[in-house]
Amino acid sequence: MKDIFQANLLAGKAAFITGGGSGINQCIAERYAAAGAAVAIVGRDLAKAERAAAHIVALGGQAIGLSADVRDYDQVRAAMAQTHKRFGRLDIVVAGAAGNFVANAKDMSAKGFRTVVDIDLVGSFNTAHAAYDYLSKPGGLVVAISAVQGSMPMRTQSHVCAAKAGVDMLMRSLAIEWGSVGIRCVGIAPGPVGDTEGMRRLAPDGERSWERLLRHIPAGRAGQREEIAALALFLASGAADYINGVVLPIDGGQTAVGSYEFGAMLQDSLQSDQAAGGAA
Ligand code: COA
């Protein structure tokens, strides 16, 4: 992918990224660090967060790995305080931690539903709320990593659809409350992105599900983590100063088509998984 961004675009800034130990969020952390930001990578698994941070440091960037479960406000707040103390400031917060599994609503326990809502929605609130005191004002940015499920109902995804719709409204609501102090709140809603834990969970039978899904994406391919990270970098740049209170789809046109085929694919992969006796 051609790099159109100015060098050191985020020099002197600091970012806090939940779920930054892998996938899209790790890619965002690396992109921010390559643009000159100091980044805190936060996750439930400290070793994973520290590995991701060490990788950035090995490439010459500035990064720390911290442990926090986004469902636990006090843990998130403590990690935020540590980040601010270490870097002396906080400019960008990415609420990226998420959970997903494939299950029909009638077969899901109440705890299963709540677990995803707790990670995705409550976790995003915890992260944004804990950041408020520390974020630069003006100049602060909260980015929530939503998903196309936030705007498209989908079979086997009632928990994620409900949680991500909440995340979208949370960003739009916080934007209204925090705009006056100079904090922007924006959502990014990716469609299927290749080589991520999320898609491994959604398409456990790999190639076959992917081929079926991609036939219904106008771009004819999955997204790349680097493309999501480029959008996150753009949003953190001065060029996006007037973008606030919106959720931007980045899905190759999937939202325009609708979710029917994606949901049908998930339903089939769930059934074949159950027939094989495995757990989703
Ligand atoms: N089908 C139905 N229910 C499921 C399930 C599945 N495939 N996987 C988990 N659950 C339910 C569990 O049964 C449990 O409810 P119960 O005790 O009533 O049976 C509940 O969800 C909580 O599961 P648990 O594994 O204890 O929670 P956790 O906090 O350790 O894990 C998850 C959270 C469930 C979201 C787990 O999938 C996870 O850790 N995901 C993180 C990684 C991820 O999802 N990445 C993709 C990002 S898009």
Side-chain angles (χ1 to χ4, degrees):
M1 201 172 88
K2 192 166 178 259
D3 190 357
I4 59 151
F5 295 99
Q6 184 189 319
N8 297 316
L9 194 58
L10 302 183
K13 298 202 169 179
F16 180 98
I17 299 160
T18 69
S22 60
I24 292 171
N25 303 311
Q26 183 179 13
C27 195
I28 293 173
E30 289 174 359
R31 198 73 182 81
Y32 280 175
V39 300
I41 293 177
V42 185
R44 262 195 297 178
D45 181 344
L46 178 61
K48 198 169 157 188
E50 284 181 333
R51 264 197 310 277
H55 180 64
I56 287 174
V57 171
L59 293 172
Q62 204 183 341
I64 54 171
L66 299 171
S67 154
D69 185 327
V70 294
R71 291 171 282 191
D72 185 323
Y73 183 81
D74 292 341
Q75 287 185 20
V76 179
R77 180 85 184 182
M80 204 75 72
Q82 218 176 319
T83 301
H84 189 262
K85 192 168 173 207
R86 174 70 180 267
F87 299 142
R89 58 186 296 142
L90 184 65
D91 305 281
I92 308 158
V93 168
V94 178
N100 196 357
F101 53 82
V102 180
N104 285 307
K106 71 175 174 54
D107 303 322
M108 192 187 304
S109 71
K111 184 179 162 202
F113 183 88
R114 194 175 59 233
T115 298
V116 169
V117 171
D118 274 348
I119 299 171
D120 292 20
L121 176 54
V122 179
S124 296
F125 175 82
N126 288 345
T127 304
H129 186 280
Y132 182 87
D133 287 341
Y134 297 106
L135 272 170
S136 301
K137 303 177 201 69
L141 172 68
V142 178
V143 179
I145 306 303
S146 182
V148 290
Q149 283 94 324
S151 60
M152 299 194 301
M154 217 178 270
R155 287 170 194 270
T156 76
Q157 293 286 282
S158 60
H159 47 339
V160 178
C161 290
K164 294 299 193 183
V167 169
D168 293 355
M169 285 304 285
L170 178 66
M171 285 304 109
R172 294 166 68 195
S173 307
L174 295 184
I176 296 173
E177 293 191 18
W178 297 356
S180 58
V181 295
I183 298 176
R184 291 181 297 123
C185 300
V186 181
I188 293 177
V193 174
D195 199 21
T196 59
E197 173 63 20
M199 279 314 294
R200 269 189 290 279
R201 281 165 183 261
L202 296 184
D205 57 350
E207 287 298 308
R208 212 166 54 86
S209 295
W210 273 106
E211 270 171 33
R212 183 173 166 190
L213 172 62
L214 297 183
R215 280 203 299 273
H216 296 268
I217 295 204
R221 65 172 177 84
Q224 298 169 355
R225 290 181 290 186
E226 292 73 15
E227 291 172 315
I228 314 299
L231 176 56
L233 181 58
F234 165 70
L235 287 172
S237 77
D241 264 355
Y242 205 53
I243 298 179
N244 192 18
V246 290
V247 180
L248 300 170
I250 171 163
D251 62 1
Q254 187 191 5
T255 314
V257 174
S259 63
Y260 185 83
E261 184 59 27
F262 195 8
M265 182 275 276
L266 293 176
Q267 181 72 54
D268 288 352
S269 75
L270 179 66
Q271 267 155 7
S272 57
D273 198 53
Q274 280 167 348

